[in-house]
Amino acid sequence: MRKRDLTSIFDVTKTEIGDLLQEAVRLKQEKTPSFPLRGKTLAMIFEKSSTRTRVSFEVGMYQLGGMALFLNSRDIQLSRGETIQDTARTISRYVNGIMLRTFAHQNVAELAQAATVPVINGLSDLSHPCQILSDLLTVYEKKGDYRNLTYAYIGDGNNVLNSWIEAAGVLGISLNIATPPSHRPAHSILNRAQEMSPRAIRVFDRPEDAVRDADIVYTDVWVSMGQEDLRSQKLRDFTGFQINESLLGHAHRDAIVMHCLPAHRGEEITSGVLDGGQSVVFDQAENRLHMQKAILTFLMK
Ligand code: CP
Ligand code: NVA
């Protein structure tokens, strides 16, 4: 059987997402662990910083009976010109899965192509699939459902939004988007998702219009990793796109507020909202662990 990868949400079906959510719920409640990945190893290559992704994958592998190796890309021969293909072919001889956090998404695609073991995208400039899968778990826990709800994403058209758009395409969930015109999400992803689910995604100019009727109000940083040079320009471009008490007033009264973290308090979200009664961000962060375990089991068992 050909190995499976998780390079984007487009790699999984609606049914598989449902199965992953069920398995994550089961693993979260499990009292006696069964160690389905006993003796298995995950290599984790990081070109960018990480708190949640690194810790949740590492702890997740341990809790499943396996182990994870943290490889800073600066410390391996990749940084000295060894190709991604040769790295993939070599590491595949030692481990049972590879997770990569990188800049260019092409690196994920090339790694997946050359590796003979499953490859997981732990964030690229283009997408962040593991984040959105675990966010669906949080929505399911908080709302009792993840399908018949309205999601509003306000902010940058970045990797996190691209993965939400992929999820909307695959699942047909209703996703309202408001980004500044100069920071729209990836066209190719939007087009593909709209072909899959023609009425799922609506793009708004004004954040107020996007959050109206929203059950989930979501944002992410305005300056992603690797964009530090664009910081002052981006801060200007995003004026009016902050999730604050006034904007939240336009959403459903029981809307939950989500953020993948790390947050830049006072930029894309106020501390009042991030720490407020509607925010679920730390439950959301916790669920990274439970969903990583479901993903790892799905790909590596
Ligand atoms: N949300 C997320 O991926 O966090 P880290 O960058 O800390 O891994
Ligand atoms: N968009 C952010 C997500 C961090 C988890 C970034 O790429 O830095």
Side-chain angles (χ1 to χ4, degrees):
M1 203 171 64
R2 171 140 176 80
K3 58 127 178 167
R4 293 287 299 272
D5 303 302
L6 181 63
T7 63
S8 90
I9 304 265
F10 289 142
D11 287 348
V12 282
T13 64
K14 190 191 252 192
T15 308
E16 286 170 341
I17 293 176
D19 293 346
L20 282 167
L21 288 166
Q22 255 186 17
E23 178 63 1
V25 169
R26 193 192 66 76
L27 286 161
K28 187 169 178 175
Q29 290 166 351
E30 185 179 65
K31 296 272 181 299
T32 319
S34 59
F35 306 121
L37 298 187
R38 192 192 299 271
K40 301 220 168 166
T41 309
L42 176 76
M44 309 189 298
I45 306 174
F46 281 90
E47 286 185 348
K48 291 174 172 171
S49 305
S50 172
T51 298
R52 281 143 288 267
T53 304
R54 176 182 173 178
V55 177
S56 59
F57 268 117
E58 196 160 336
V59 171
M61 274 305 288
Y62 177 76
Q63 292 183 355
L64 292 169
M67 66 161 286
L69 278 127
F70 173 75
L71 302 172
N72 186 322
S73 65
R74 284 191 300 276
D75 300 337
I76 57 177
Q77 299 289 7
L78 201 55
S79 65
R80 296 181 58 256
E82 186 166 25
T83 65
I84 290 187
Q85 285 78 7
D86 290 350
T87 305
R89 290 163 72 188
T90 304
I91 295 183
S92 293
R93 303 285 181 112
Y94 305 129
V95 301
N96 308 96
I98 306 172
M99 191 236 77
L100 174 65
R101 169 165 286 200
T102 188
F103 291 90
H105 188 77
Q106 184 61 25
N107 295 336
V108 178
E110 286 178 12
L111 188 76
Q113 180 69 37
T116 55
V117 296
V119 166
I120 302 171
N121 174 5
L123 180 146
S124 69
D125 288 346
L126 190 70
S127 64
H128 196 6
C130 301
Q131 178 71 51
I132 273 53
L133 290 173
S134 73
D135 292 343
L136 290 167
L137 171 61
T138 306
V139 171
Y140 176 61
E141 284 180 350
K142 301 291 174 190
K143 295 285 182 188
D145 184 22
Y146 60 96
R147 282 163 293 204
N148 301 303
L149 297 165
T150 299
Y151 295 71
Y153 179 102
I154 311 301
D156 191 19
N158 62 15
N159 41 16
V160 170
L161 175 55
N162 289 333
S163 288
W164 270 117
I165 292 170
E166 292 170 354
V170 174
L171 295 170
I173 53 177
S174 165
L175 174 65
N176 294 348
I177 297 169
T179 69
S182 48
H183 299 284
R184 297 272 193 240
H187 266 295
S188 55
I189 293 179
L190 192 56
N191 290 345
R192 183 167 168 193
Q194 280 172 328
E195 272 168 29
M196 294 170 92
S197 294
R199 283 177 303 281
I201 302 159
R202 296 195 298 166
V203 181
F204 295 86
D205 291 324
R206 288 166 23 99
E208 294 78 7
D209 296 332
V211 301
R212 191 159 297 127
D213 301 326
D215 303 294
I216 295 101
V217 177
Y218 200 109
T219 193
D220 181 20
V221 290
W222 291 338
V223 183
S224 282
M225 289 180 275
Q227 298 186 329
E228 290 73 14
D229 292 351
L230 305 174
R231 183 175 171 76
S232 45
Q233 179 62 49
K234 287 196 97 174
L235 292 190
R236 282 196 294 278
D237 295 344
F238 284 93
T239 308
F241 283 80
Q242 186 186 62
I243 307 284
N244 51 35
E245 289 75 355
S246 149
L247 182 63
L248 202 52
H250 293 268
H252 278 166
R253 277 182 37 196
D254 62 354
I256 55 171
V257 173
M258 299 182 74
H259 189 310
C260 58
L261 303 177
H264 284 192
R265 290 166 180 263
E267 291 184 13
E268 76 279 0
I269 192 164
T270 58
S271 275
V273 171
L274 196 72
D275 299 326
Q278 287 170 266
S279 167
V280 300
V281 298
F282 294 104
D283 291 336
Q284 182 184 356
E286 177 190 328
N287 279 336
R288 295 295 308 279
L289 171 64
H290 309 298
M291 181 48 81
Q292 309 298 35
K293 288 166 71 177
I295 294 168
L296 289 164
T297 310
F298 172 66
L299 294 175
M300 289 169 60
K301 195 172 159 188

